[in-house]
Amino acid sequence: MTTGTGTGARLSIDGGQSGMRLRFAHAGQQLEVETPGVLTDRPVLEQISEVAHAFVREHALEITELAVGLSGLTPAAARPIPLLESVAALGVRRVAVAHDSVSGYLAANGDEPGVVLAIGTGVVTLAVTARGAAKVDGWGSLLGDAGSGYWIGRAGLDAALRSYDGRGDATVLAALAVEAFGKLDDLYMRMQGDDRRVSRIASFARPVVESAESGDPVAAEIVTGAARELAHSAAAALEGAGHADGDAIRVSAVGGIVRGSVYLRGALVAALAERGRGEGLAAPLGAPIDGVARLLDVSAGHPLAAMVSTAAQ
């Protein structure tokens, strides 16, 4: 796999549920912007096409390559040919589309074997060895994403409501939930009617982690539980990828919530050690958007190639 950025005018889109980052790069010129996140209950590639058109129009750019790392992308939805057709009018001649676990891996570990935990609103774990690659979780807020920002935020709100009801221990999370969302007695109705409820609930993860760091035992239990879920996923992914004891691996985690919290990183290192993955956490080699830009450069023989959908004209 090469790690260059090619010679074309490349637009890279890192599409998460809480926000999207776009990067245009060509001939030494670079422009980055952020936009609202994708809605995973709607066709995701159509949203990417709309965002690309709006970006190019607003900044008067010409692009020839489009790379997309996307949360909520299923194998059935990874259809690069229709995407290429929808952006061809912008000058695009080559596209690469992958789940954001793949771009997250390239950002964090590059070519090295190992495992990456891509922790955002959702979470997905990807392991790569010389024998293959395996993805774990990423099943969305309704059915999975164990240990994710949404998982932590929802657990925090659950704890707040239990405290409010008298069903659970007192916790600072109750007051923080009121501060963030308003009165608790009608919170459930406001969340159900909010199109952005997943990302809004996930936004409560940070107060939960900060409360754990400040000594709140209820919040600390939530963060410890999240770390154990993440370590479990890492171990399962490595096993699925054919990891053998004694193989060198690089364990990394990407995402704002783990990057911004020493406490969560510490809990995750401890949980990995419990699972026999005591190597600690290696710093990511680059930012997630860097991994998106690399999707167009993955060679056909790389273990990740089967997870990247491409089209060209």
Side-chain angles (χ1 to χ4, degrees):
M1 181 183 68
T2 62
T3 58
T5 57
T7 58
R10 182 170 298 183
L11 175 60
S12 304
I13 301 179
D14 181 25
Q17 297 174 67
S18 295
M20 279 191 266
R21 181 174 292 274
L22 288 75
R23 175 193 287 171
F24 170 82
H26 181 56
Q29 179 186 3
Q30 185 166 298
L31 172 66
E32 287 195 20
V33 301
E34 293 185 6
T35 68
V38 294
L39 298 173
T40 55
D41 58 350
R42 301 176 188 176
V44 288
L45 289 184
E46 290 181 10
Q47 297 174 62
I48 292 299
S49 178
E50 292 169 2
V51 167
H53 276 269
F55 177 80
V56 169
R57 185 170 54 249
E58 179 180 355
H59 298 284
L61 298 171
E62 293 184 4
I63 58 174
T64 58
E65 300 176 330
L66 176 63
V68 183
L70 197 56
S71 176
L73 184 72
T74 64
R79 301 170 63 222
I81 293 176
L83 176 62
L84 178 58
E85 292 172 346
S86 73
V87 295
L90 302 177
V92 177
R93 296 294 175 263
R94 197 161 68 108
V95 300
V97 181
H99 193 276
D100 62 358
S101 60
V102 179
S103 54
Y105 189 95
L106 293 170
N109 292 337
D111 286 329
E112 296 185 45
V115 61
V116 66
L117 293 145
I119 311 165
T121 297
V123 66
V124 64
T125 302
L126 183 62
V128 175
T129 71
R131 302 168 188 85
K135 182 173 78 70
V136 166
D137 206 349
W139 301 131
S141 60
L142 289 178
L143 302 176
D145 288 350
S148 67
Y150 176 86
W151 190 97
I152 294 171
R154 189 202 174 283
L157 290 175
D158 178 74
L161 291 170
R162 286 177 178 273
S163 178
Y164 176 80
D165 283 343
R167 294 179 294 130
D169 293 338
T171 171
V172 298
L173 297 176
L176 291 172
V178 172
E179 182 180 322
F181 299 103
K183 294 195 304 180
L184 296 182
D185 57 4
D186 62 356
L187 173 62
Y188 72 105
M189 290 298 293
R190 282 183 276 118
M191 286 294 101
Q192 289 179 34
D194 192 334
D195 287 344
R196 296 278 176 183
R197 56 186 171 274
V198 173
S199 59
R200 289 202 67 204
I201 290 171
S203 71
F204 197 60
R206 193 163 299 281
V208 174
V209 173
E210 290 172 351
S211 297
E213 201 157 19
S214 298
D216 183 87
V218 173
E221 184 176 348
I222 292 171
V223 174
T224 299
R228 286 176 175 160
E229 291 284 1
L230 294 167
H232 190 181
S233 292
L238 284 166
E239 182 177 350
H243 173 69
D245 289 343
D247 286 353
I249 58 169
R250 193 174 197 278
V251 183
S252 188
V254 296
I257 188 168
V258 69
R259 184 174 62 248
S261 172
V262 173
Y263 187 92
L264 178 55
R265 288 200 304 276
L268 184 51
V269 168
L272 287 165
E274 287 179 6
R275 288 273 171 183
R277 307 298 175 189
E279 298 86 354
L281 283 177
L285 298 176
I289 193 70
D290 297 321
V292 176
R294 289 184 173 192
L295 290 172
L296 281 159
D297 304 318
V298 176
S299 67
H302 193 274
L304 291 176
M307 296 183 176
V308 182
S309 300
T310 62
Q313 63 177 25

